[in-house]
Amino acid sequence: MDKLEVVGKPIKRIDGIDKVTGAAKYATDITLDNMLYAKLLRSPHAHARVTHIDTTAAEKLPGVKAVASILEVPKVLQYWYFLRTEKKERQIYLLDNIVRFIGDPVLAVAAVDEVTANKALSLVTVTYEKLPDLQDPVAALEEDSLKIHSKGNVAMKAEKGFGDIQEGFDRADIIVENTYHTSKQKHASLEPIGSCVAHYQSDKSLTVFSSTQLPHWSRHYLAGALEMPINKVRVIKPYTGGAFGGRCGLIHGLEVMCSWLSRKAVRPVRLSFSREEDFIATESRHPMTIKMKTGATKEGIITANDVKIIADVGGYGTHYIGVIADCLSTGGALYNIPNYQFSGTAVYTNKSLCGALRGYGNPQMNFAQESQIDIIAEKLGLDPLEIRLKNYRPKGEMDPVLLEEIQSNGLPECLEKGAAEADWDAKRRQLPGTDGKKRGIGLSIMLHGTGAAGALPDPASATVMINADGSVNLLTAAADEGQGNRTVLAQVASEVLGIDVEKITVSDTDTAVTPLDCGTHGSRQAYSGGLAVQKAATQAREKMLSFAAKILDVKQQQLGIGKGRVFDLSDPENNIPIQDLMRQTQIGDMGLCEQVIGSFSGIASAMPGYYGAIFAEVEVNTETGEVRVIKLTSAFDVGRALNPDFVEGQITGGGAMGIGFALTEGLMVKDGHILNGNLTDYRLLRACDVPEIVPIIVESNEPTGPFGAKGVGEGAMVNVASAIANAIFHASGVRLTNLCMTPEDILQKLEAKTALTHLFEKIARNCYFYSYFMAPQKNIIIKSADYKSDFHCWSM
């Protein structure tokens, strides 16, 4: 590892020049000859049956070339887990006349320009039969007579446990029980979600330019929806202005509808959603209600955890299975809790659909679980850092959910380095202050998985071709949303081949020329994509060495590669430049004429967890309820930082996104209407809101990863909200259990806390206070307005 030349170095992005000069082409920049422009008509009702659509006047309008509606175009639901069999795949496609949220696509028009398309939409008449709608997942769960989908309102229910949960609570000296609520966060990427160009041609082939994170799976979905052979469908991914999970498949009402119009018109069609359409009609984070009951001994050893989750899926389900599974796997494996019970229920409501968003269920679960751990530490008088070190699951133990051995875990080092940078010990002892602005510091930890090997079809592929001049073409469908994936994969190839990274060209993401890849999700590309490139490049390297061995008259195992040369390890002067070697094997030796090509396609051998510790320092204005994050210290175990600059960028960006999730971001929904569906009203952090964020890289060397690497991208925002919540409590004594944590909530809790303090002072003057509250008892139940939950508190 110490001798690595390229891996571990801050190599500049290979796409950087294109982006800063404006040469990079995004989906909205793509213009094809004879192209049409499409617009969508969306449902004004949260739940209705479309009984009739009259498009006569619209189709007569000059310039209108095609019309398509939900009566003929299937919706694409679920995710690639359902591609495993033909029977499962049929569940992906839904063709019916029901709209299930306000903004659900009903019809699309393609015309010669956007003005004509919009005018045509105004001429369409849609007749709806309104149906009762369900906005509350708890009500939908209990409702039997009203079904949002034919199978009912429960999308899925998962239950898993290990140990004996009741025995765990019997052993506990303290039991903390709480209910947490999380928000409907939006991706809010720089480029609005929802742009594509579809081109159906006379040879019955379809080319789609889409900013999808999953080009190959999107190709499968399109082929199934349009009943076309897969080889006739081509997906090309242009540059993308951020994704965060929002493009993890096909976009509801976008690519399929656009392709349908193109097939009807036999002309290219562009369909782009506005920012408002993105907010009201594409996927968001699953809001969750999490009931958690946690037991611990008075020494701070956690004995049991009982988790019950209700997740609001919205009108249609895509990633809910994976999201619920991620809540289980991350929550159940982070701590060494011997008795664990988990129940997760995904419920349909008549709200905009939910899906994949950075963290994939983990931020919701982590907010609840890390708040619980902090509450227990406070009740027992323990340092929050100490209780986590007592209970985390270390390297060498078995993950109880994935049933894999933990082969790397740098969490203790994350805590150590993070605490030192944040000045944890001193700031925990520091009084919050007596004026209206009180300071506090909190921490939280997290575990997140890398990739999905074994849990989902999760292939990665790469082909390495070395040219006669020693340059390299790397073919990969590893989608890059801006993280720098393609640069990192070029670094891996460069390190293995001993060829300068500037001589390596990484292919565009095009399913017609790149081998099968699962795409960008689950913090997987540096790990899974890196492994594929490492193996393909190793195969090419071995071929180079075999050719060089003959020319240099040396055994193959005596050869090394570096700095563009193949050389004799015992006599480095005996060497040959790679470009001379390749020219000889491809052109010079006319009896050979072989290009060196290495290929790999398959899955990673593991799904390793990566770990992080975040320390948040906040200032709480007790007069206004405003919270200002002063500093985030974010330490993450990434196995090996293949490109440290990119890793620090992910940690910093995740920190900013996590602060938004904690304090400001959440779609406000009333009677099915999204009230803040634009960047004016949806409160993203401004530059002046972002505090000092200190990224700390910890390298634990994951043995299954390329050069020891594992993931980081999603996890960087997972435990920000919980760290801030814990810091707010340290500053103000107020425990917040709802996201977003707003000034209004803080003021309400402060008022309740003051009232409760006055009540206890009054009771203390009563002689019964000592006999009831101070008598030695176990599991005293306190119903606290401050916490809005029941606490079972161990009494000294």
Side-chain angles (χ1 to χ4, degrees):
M1 289 291 185
D2 295 335
K3 297 180 180 179
L4 296 177
E5 297 289 337
V6 185
V7 163
K9 305 299 188 294
I11 302 297
K12 293 180 180 179
R13 292 175 180 267
I14 60 176
D15 57 3
I17 299 298
D18 281 353
K19 288 184 174 181
V20 300
T21 60
K25 298 298 181 184
Y26 296 80
T28 51
D29 296 321
I30 295 169
T31 302
L32 303 180
D33 291 342
N34 212 25
M35 190 169 75
L36 302 175
Y37 298 84
K39 290 292 180 181
L40 282 177
L41 181 68
R42 297 182 179 275
S43 169
H45 305 296
H47 197 195
R49 180 178 288 108
V50 176
T51 59
H52 183 69
I53 300 176
D54 185 355
T55 61
T56 305
E59 292 184 77
K60 290 180 179 179
L61 185 68
V64 172
K65 302 300 179 181
V67 178
S69 78
I70 61 169
L71 303 181
E72 57 184 314
V73 181
K75 304 176 180 78
V76 175
L77 313 176
Q78 308 300 347
Y79 68 149
W80 62 97
Y81 178 81
F82 287 80
L83 290 174
R84 295 174 301 144
T85 67
E86 288 187 16
K87 181 180 178 180
K88 284 282 186 184
E89 185 175 355
R90 286 194 290 271
Q91 299 177 39
I92 292 176
Y93 309 105
L94 175 64
L95 183 63
D96 66 10
N97 63 339
I98 306 296
V99 288
R100 294 175 172 86
F101 66 90
I102 294 172
D104 203 355
V106 175
L107 173 142
V109 171
V112 292
D113 54 49
E114 292 186 3
V115 173
T116 304
N118 281 322
K119 186 174 181 180
L121 290 182
S122 70
L123 300 175
V124 175
T125 301
V126 180
T127 305
Y128 298 94
E129 177 192 342
K130 288 186 66 176
L131 301 171
D133 63 279
L134 294 167
Q135 297 295 321
D136 178 20
V138 176
L141 188 62
E142 297 172 351
E143 180 60 61
D144 293 325
S145 59
L146 176 58
K147 295 181 178 180
I148 296 175
H149 285 271
S150 60
K151 292 184 178 181
N153 299 331
V154 177
M156 69 159 291
K157 184 171 184 178
E159 294 185 341
K160 186 176 179 64
F162 45 86
D164 186 325
I165 195 71
Q166 189 54 53
E167 180 184 332
F169 286 124
D170 289 343
R171 286 178 49 214
D173 295 306
I174 177 173
I175 299 173
V176 172
E177 191 168 1
N178 249 318
T179 300
Y180 299 86
H181 302 277
T182 65
S183 65
K184 188 176 171 70
Q185 188 185 24
K186 197 68 185 74
H187 308 81
S189 53
L190 191 63
E191 176 192 358
I193 291 173
S195 287
C196 80
V197 174
H199 189 192
Y200 187 88
Q201 296 175 276
S202 56
D203 64 353
K204 298 183 179 181
S205 67
L206 173 67
T207 299
V208 176
F209 298 85
S210 169
S211 300
T212 176
Q213 295 174 233
L214 315 175
H216 278 279
W217 295 149
S218 294
R219 181 192 192 199
H220 274 259
Y221 299 149
L222 285 165
L226 279 80
E227 298 182 335
M228 295 176 63
I230 292 175
N231 71 317
K232 286 290 188 177
V233 179
R234 179 185 185 185
V235 175
I236 300 173
K237 178 182 172 60
Y239 280 97
T240 304
F244 309 113
R247 309 177 200 271
C248 209
L250 297 181
I251 309 302
H252 189 65
L254 182 69
E255 291 97 341
V256 176
M257 190 70 82
C258 190
S259 299
W260 210 277
L261 291 169
S262 180
R263 185 163 65 177
K264 280 191 168 186
V266 197
R267 288 173 63 174
V269 177
R270 177 196 288 168
L271 177 56
S272 294
F273 293 171
S274 66
R275 179 68 72 179
E276 287 72 18
E277 287 180 295
D278 175 6
F279 269 102
I280 69 168
T282 68
E283 296 178 6
S284 64
R285 190 181 296 285
H286 292 78
M288 292 185 184
T289 297
I290 304 174
K291 293 185 177 181
M292 192 171 290
K293 180 180 177 182
T294 312
T297 67
K298 58 186 177 181
E299 293 79 21
I301 302 301
I302 305 169
T303 60
N305 202 25
D306 187 7
V307 183
K308 294 181 174 62
I309 295 176
I310 296 177
D312 187 341
V313 171
Y316 301 96
T318 55
H319 289 261
Y320 57 86
I321 294 175
V323 166
I324 293 294
D326 210 43
C327 290
L328 167 63
S329 63
T330 58
L334 176 58
Y335 289 107
N336 198 352
I337 305 175
N339 307 292
Y340 204 95
Q341 188 64 43
F342 178 93
S343 172
T345 306
V347 184
Y348 293 116
T349 61
N350 292 117
K351 288 185 275 194
S352 62
L353 70 169
C354 300
L357 205 164
R358 191 178 198 172
Y360 211 64
N362 197 355
Q364 299 97 304
M365 178 68 181
N366 184 275
F367 173 64
Q369 187 159 283
E370 285 300 282
S371 295
Q372 290 284 100
I373 300 301
D374 238 54
I375 293 168
I376 291 172
E378 188 267 332
K379 295 295 178 186
L380 296 175
L382 295 174
D383 185 324
L385 193 153
E386 176 190 356
I387 196 171
R388 287 170 171 85
L389 285 174
K390 281 186 175 184
N391 289 281
Y392 87 99
R393 193 181 301 275
K395 174 183 174 181
E397 292 207 7
M398 290 293 291
D399 183 308
V401 180
L402 301 179
L403 301 179
E404 292 181 354
E405 181 185 346
I406 300 169
Q407 299 189 59
S408 63
N409 185 341
L411 183 58
E413 188 177 348
C414 291
L415 285 165
E416 178 186 355
K417 289 185 174 180
E421 168 62 35
D423 198 12
W424 170 259
D425 290 336
K427 289 180 178 176
R428 284 297 290 188
R429 291 192 301 267
Q430 185 178 347
L431 293 176
T434 56
D435 60 1
K437 295 182 178 180
K438 299 182 181 295
R439 288 199 173 192
I441 188 169
L443 75 86
S444 63
I445 63 174
M446 76 97 220
L447 157 69
H448 199 76
T450 304
L456 289 171
D458 201 44
S461 307
T463 298
V464 171
M465 301 187 298
I466 306 179
N467 301 308
D469 63 353
S471 64
V472 177
N473 288 98
L474 170 59
L475 303 181
T476 171
D480 194 329
E481 319 305 325
Q483 307 96 318
N485 296 342
R486 296 167 72 239
T487 305
V488 166
L489 298 184
Q491 287 181 254
V492 171
S494 172
E495 191 67 57
V496 174
L497 296 171
I499 296 173
D500 192 291
V501 71
E502 293 184 357
K503 298 187 73 174
I504 298 176
T505 298
V506 183
S507 65
D508 292 332
T509 306
D510 180 344
T511 61
V513 297
T514 55
L516 178 65
D517 189 276
C518 189
T520 298
H521 74 92
S523 307
R524 71 180 293 273
Q525 280 302 355
Y527 178 76
S528 300
L531 281 173
V533 171
Q534 186 181 42
K535 291 178 180 180
T538 298
Q539 189 182 100
R541 174 191 173 101
E542 292 304 308
K543 290 181 181 179
M544 276 200 296
L545 292 176
S546 68
F547 291 137
K550 297 174 183 176
I551 294 173
L552 298 177
D553 193 24
V554 177
K555 291 182 179 180
Q556 184 173 332
Q557 56 268 31
Q558 290 181 233
L559 294 176
I561 298 180
K563 300 187 183 301
R565 292 176 175 269
V566 180
F567 56 89
D568 183 346
L569 291 169
S570 61
D571 179 13
E573 295 300 318
N574 183 22
N575 67 74
I576 182 171
I578 290 175
Q579 62 187 51
D580 293 349
L581 175 64
M582 292 298 95
R583 183 177 297 277
Q584 175 69 10
T585 58
Q586 293 181 36
I587 303 170
D589 186 345
M590 291 185 289
L592 182 62
C593 292
E594 179 180 337
Q595 184 177 20
V596 170
I597 300 174
S599 293
F600 174 82
S601 183
I603 63 169
S605 62
M607 188 167 57
Y610 61 96
Y611 301 83
I614 290 180
F615 296 77
E617 186 177 355
V618 305
E619 180 182 83
V620 179
N621 188 321
T622 56
E623 295 177 358
T624 66
E626 181 184 8
V627 174
R628 183 169 69 92
V629 180
I630 298 167
K631 180 180 179 180
L632 278 188
T633 303
S634 301
F636 280 84
D637 161 29
V638 302
R640 175 84 183 190
L642 300 181
N643 188 311
D645 280 0
F646 295 179
V647 172
E648 290 184 354
Q650 288 297 306
I651 294 173
T652 303
M657 193 172 192
I659 295 171
F661 180 54
L663 300 178
T664 66
E665 291 189 49
L667 291 173
M668 301 169 63
V669 185
K670 184 176 181 180
D671 300 327
H673 293 273
I674 291 175
L675 305 180
N676 56 337
N678 55 68
L679 288 178
T680 301
D681 299 321
Y682 184 87
R683 183 68 163 79
L684 288 173
L685 296 190
R686 300 161 296 183
C688 60
D689 298 321
V690 179
E692 178 188 6
I693 300 176
V694 179
I696 297 174
I697 297 173
V698 170
E699 295 183 314
S700 62
N701 188 31
E702 169 56 42
T704 68
F707 300 102
K710 48 185 177 179
V712 69
E714 292 202 67
M717 69 84 57
V718 162
N719 53 325
V720 177
S722 52
I724 292 173
N726 293 337
I728 291 172
F729 180 82
H730 183 235
S732 66
V734 165
R735 174 60 61 182
L736 299 171
T737 55
N738 294 344
L739 296 179
C740 303
M741 296 179 285
T742 65
E744 293 82 1
D745 286 343
I746 290 172
L747 288 177
Q748 183 181 7
K749 289 295 184 78
L750 283 170
E751 290 171 4
K753 180 174 178 285
T754 300
L756 193 64
T757 300
H758 291 160
L759 175 62
F760 281 164
E761 287 174 351
K762 185 176 181 180
I763 293 174
R765 290 191 292 269
N766 190 305
C767 63
Y768 291 108
F769 174 80
Y770 179 84
S771 61
Y772 183 78
F773 283 97
M774 299 303 291
Q777 298 184 48
K778 192 174 183 178
N779 290 348
I780 297 174
I781 301 174
I782 299 177
K783 294 181 180 289
S784 168
D786 185 40
Y787 294 101
K788 294 186 177 179
S789 63
D790 292 350
F791 283 81
H792 301 252
C793 296
W794 173 70
S795 173
M796 297 296 289

